[in-house]
Amino acid sequence: MIKNIVFDFGGVLLDWNPRYLYRQYFKTEEEMENFFAKVGLYDWNATLDAGKPFAEGVKELQDRFPEYAKEIQLFDDEWRRTVKGCFPESVALLKKLKAGGLGIYGLSNWSWEKAEGLIKEYDFFKLFDGMVISGIEKVSKPDPKIYQILLNRYHLQAEECVFIDDNAANIQAADALGFNAIVFDDIHNVTDKLKSLIS
C-alpha cells in the first residue's frame, strides 16, 4: 500500500536551468555551451550539491579557469536567476496528493546555501512532512546512502513510497532500494502512473 510520495525538487517542482542565467550574459548559445563544457559546469555543480561551500567551490574553479572568473562568480552571485519558477501542474498534483492523506517528502540534490531561500519563498514547501537535502547530508543521489537517510529519519518503508525524479540514474537507485520509482518526463504520464499505484 502506498502511503508516501517523495519528490525531487529541480526539474520536478521547480524549473531550474543554469541557461536561464547565462543566456542573459553570453551573446550566443554557442559561447554559453562552450563555457559549460570547458569548465564542466554540471559536474562542478554536483560538488556544490554534495555540500561543498559555494565560496570554496567558486575559488577552486576560478583558479582552474581564470579566464572565466567573472562567469563563474556569476553562478554564486546570481544563482536565483537559474530558477525560472515552479511547475504549476506539479504543485497542483502535490497539493492533491497531500489532501488525499498521503505523506509528502522531499529528496533533492541541492546546496543548502541556495535551497534554504527557495524553500522559504515557495509556500507549497510548507506541505512537506519532511525533506532531505544533499548539501546538508554531504551525500547526494544516486548514492543509496541518501535514500536510506530519508527512510531512517522519517521511519518510512521504501515499498510504501513513490519516488518521483527527472534523473534516470536517481530513479534506478531508488528502484533498486525497493521504492516505486517514476521518472518525471511528462506530468500526464506521471499522474497516470501514480493513479495505477495508489488505486
Side-chain angles (χ1 to χ4, degrees):
M1 179 180 178
I2 299 301
K3 298 180 179 179
N4 309 290
I5 312 296
V6 182
F7 284 90
D8 176 35
F9 296 163
V12 175
L13 294 170
L14 295 172
D15 187 2
W16 177 84
N17 192 327
R19 290 171 179 82
Y20 294 141
L21 166 62
Y22 285 106
R23 277 184 183 133
Q24 301 175 49
Y25 184 86
F26 288 100
K27 294 179 180 179
T28 67
E29 290 281 312
E30 183 180 12
E31 287 181 4
M32 177 181 68
E33 296 298 338
N34 285 341
F35 162 67
F36 282 12
K38 184 168 183 180
V39 305
L41 187 99
Y42 284 96
D43 288 342
W44 172 63
N45 183 62
T47 69
L48 304 175
D49 286 347
K52 179 173 288 187
F54 253 74
E56 180 183 333
V58 166
K59 185 179 185 305
E60 287 179 359
L61 201 64
Q62 286 175 328
D63 287 345
R64 290 175 57 202
F65 302 99
E67 70 274 26
Y68 283 122
K70 291 182 180 179
E71 291 84 351
I72 293 166
Q73 186 64 49
L74 196 66
F75 193 71
D76 187 4
D77 295 344
E78 300 291 336
W79 185 90
R80 178 60 185 82
R81 290 162 62 190
T82 65
V83 180
K84 192 174 184 179
C86 67
F87 293 118
E89 291 178 316
S90 295
V91 174
L93 175 62
L94 183 155
K95 291 179 177 179
K96 182 178 179 180
L97 294 167
K98 179 72 174 183
L102 290 163
I104 302 296
Y105 295 88
L107 180 59
S108 189
N109 286 352
W110 238 335
S111 160
W112 182 244
E113 292 177 67
K114 307 303 181 182
E116 184 178 21
L118 285 176
I119 289 169
K120 292 177 180 178
E121 181 178 344
Y122 289 95
D123 287 343
F124 66 79
F125 282 112
K126 295 176 182 178
L127 300 175
F128 280 74
D129 297 293
M131 59 182 68
V132 171
I133 307 295
S134 64
I136 296 176
E137 309 302 333
K138 305 296 191 294
V139 60
S140 55
K141 298 176 291 185
D143 191 320
K145 292 177 184 177
I146 195 168
Y147 299 84
Q148 203 60 53
I149 289 171
L150 174 79
L151 296 174
N152 294 344
R153 182 168 298 161
Y154 299 108
H155 309 290
L156 308 177
Q157 300 298 317
E159 62 271 16
E160 295 177 347
C161 298
V162 176
F163 174 72
I164 303 173
D165 197 298
D166 64 321
N167 183 292
N170 297 343
I171 289 292
Q172 291 169 5
D175 184 69
L177 290 167
F179 285 84
N180 299 275
I182 299 176
V183 63
F184 187 90
D185 50 4
D186 176 272
I187 188 65
H188 303 295
N189 290 339
V190 171
T191 301
D192 289 343
K193 290 176 182 177
L194 273 172
K195 285 180 181 178
S196 67
L197 287 168
I198 294 171
S199 59

